[in-house]
Amino acid sequence: MHNDPFSQFKAAQREGWALFVPLEAYTTPAAASLVNFARVQRGEQLLDVGCGTGVVAVTAARAGAQVKALDLSPVLLERARWNAGTAGIAIEFAEGDVEELPYPDASFDVVLSQYGHMFAPRPEIAVAEMLRVLRPGGRIAFSTWPPELFIGRMFNLVGQYLPPPAGVPPVSLWGDPNVVRERLADKVADLAFEREAMYVPALSPQHVRESFEATAAPVVKLVQSLKDEPDRLARFRAELEALIAAFTQGNLVRQQYLMTCATKLSV
Ligand SMILES: C[S@@+](CC[C@H](N)C(=O)[O-])C[C@H]1O[C@@H](n2cnc3c(N)ncnc32)[C@H](O)[C@@H]1O
């Protein structure tokens, strides 16, 4: 990684996401939805960026695609290799950054990202890289969190306590179809959106908060940063629990995510 102003931010992401493994239980069903939404075909060359523990990569490979997958976190890649091995499939994993993909131009038929590329600090660079490695006529598809629903609001709440570095837009903007349309702009055609539900078991708001504090990088980082500020930490926890309660019904946090799919234009 270069010594640009965003390197420190990415180093923190690399560190923070290391605890994500338990959350693959929730992203596994979503992976099947994204692979279907992107109409992945047998034999296609496919890249999963921000692959985490490889749930999209494994799902796409089981559907017959030839898969490569990349993530910042070596800890998650270790789990991803185990997941692929357990399923008995070959996937080429790489440690790397979506803002600097180590693949030639036009080398994939499909580029996917499930709640992954949205964490890159410079959306325009992440998009440019994902489209660079995609062949003209290939499909880009990703899942992201809408700003007005639970996870998007949780990220916005975290941002109020621990703002991102200057120049890094809120990650939840990736869940707004108007922003996605602007970011993909005139480089794609056939832009399509769909929302899908994801439910998280909630014995109590406190259980869900504890679970995010132990697994979700932005929350992990915030709680670490507030360790010497007990009043602010208590205020954050109360606000997060209220947010969780607002989206909970029948011991489930009910939320939706946004899927986007588009075709890369020839020029
Ligand atoms: C919410 S997790 C999603 C993981 C996986 N796609 C899934 O659905 O289970 C976000 C992932 O994005 C990765 N990530 C964050 N910033 C990244 C970057 N700049 N380049 C590559 N991966 C990144 C993290 O390491 C983490 O694995």
Side-chain angles (χ1 to χ4, degrees):
M1 225 170 269
H2 299 304
N3 194 20
D4 61 58
F6 300 101
S7 292
Q8 213 180 338
F9 178 81
K10 290 180 196 170
Q13 294 263 346
R14 185 174 180 271
E15 200 72 16
W17 286 113
L19 301 170
F20 179 80
V21 172
L23 292 182
E24 73 176 8
Y26 305 120
T27 60
T28 291
S33 300
L34 183 62
V35 166
N36 283 335
F37 190 61
R39 305 182 307 280
V40 172
Q41 309 294 314
R42 185 163 290 280
E44 285 189 313
Q45 299 291 325
L46 183 145
L47 176 65
D48 176 15
V49 300
C51 68
T53 64
V55 294
V56 168
V58 169
T59 305
R62 292 188 66 238
Q66 300 292 311
V67 178
K68 293 190 169 115
L70 169 138
D71 199 277
L72 275 184
S73 164
V75 175
L76 297 188
L77 286 168
E78 195 181 319
R79 170 72 179 185
R81 290 192 179 93
W82 184 86
N83 279 334
T86 300
I89 46 177
I91 293 174
E92 203 178 293
F93 290 103
E95 187 178 325
D97 176 6
V98 62
E99 292 189 349
E100 199 175 355
L101 291 172
Y103 308 105
D105 295 357
S107 48
F108 296 98
D109 301 303
V110 186
V111 175
L112 301 182
S113 187
Q114 177 166 274
Y115 323 124
H117 80 294
M118 64 185 292
F119 293 102
R122 293 168 293 191
E124 67 290 352
I125 297 184
V127 163
E129 274 297 88
M130 290 165 77
L131 289 173
R132 178 185 65 76
V133 302
L134 186 62
R135 69 163 169 81
R139 286 145 3 252
I140 180 171
F142 43 82
S143 296
T144 51
W145 298 106
E148 75 282 14
L149 299 181
F150 170 59
I151 298 278
R153 282 176 62 180
M154 180 177 81
F155 288 150
N156 290 343
L157 176 65
V158 168
Q160 286 166 26
Y161 284 80
L162 186 65
V168 177
V171 292
S172 64
L173 286 179
W174 269 117
D176 179 341
N178 293 321
V179 174
V180 173
R181 197 172 280 114
E182 274 169 27
R183 287 178 177 172
L184 295 177
D186 48 359
K187 302 169 200 80
V188 301
D190 310 323
L191 188 57
F193 298 105
E194 198 169 296
R195 274 188 175 188
E196 188 81 64
M198 182 194 283
Y199 299 141
V200 173
L203 190 53
S204 72
Q206 292 80 358
H207 279 80
V208 178
R209 175 186 54 72
E210 288 277 346
S211 141
F212 281 120
E213 285 187 15
T215 54
V219 187
V220 173
K221 276 195 298 178
L222 172 62
V223 170
Q224 280 167 0
S225 78
L226 293 180
K227 67 180 186 326
D228 298 325
E229 296 178 76
D231 293 346
R232 283 189 83 213
L233 179 57
R235 214 165 54 239
F236 165 72
R237 285 178 162 158
E239 285 191 74
L240 180 53
E241 286 170 18
L243 184 59
I244 293 164
F247 282 87
T248 302
Q249 208 189 0
N251 276 5
L252 286 175
V253 179
R254 294 165 190 266
Q255 59 195 315
Q256 288 185 322
Y257 56 92
L258 179 74
M259 291 187 293
T260 299
C261 186
T263 304
K264 179 178 170 179
L265 286 172
S266 294
V267 168

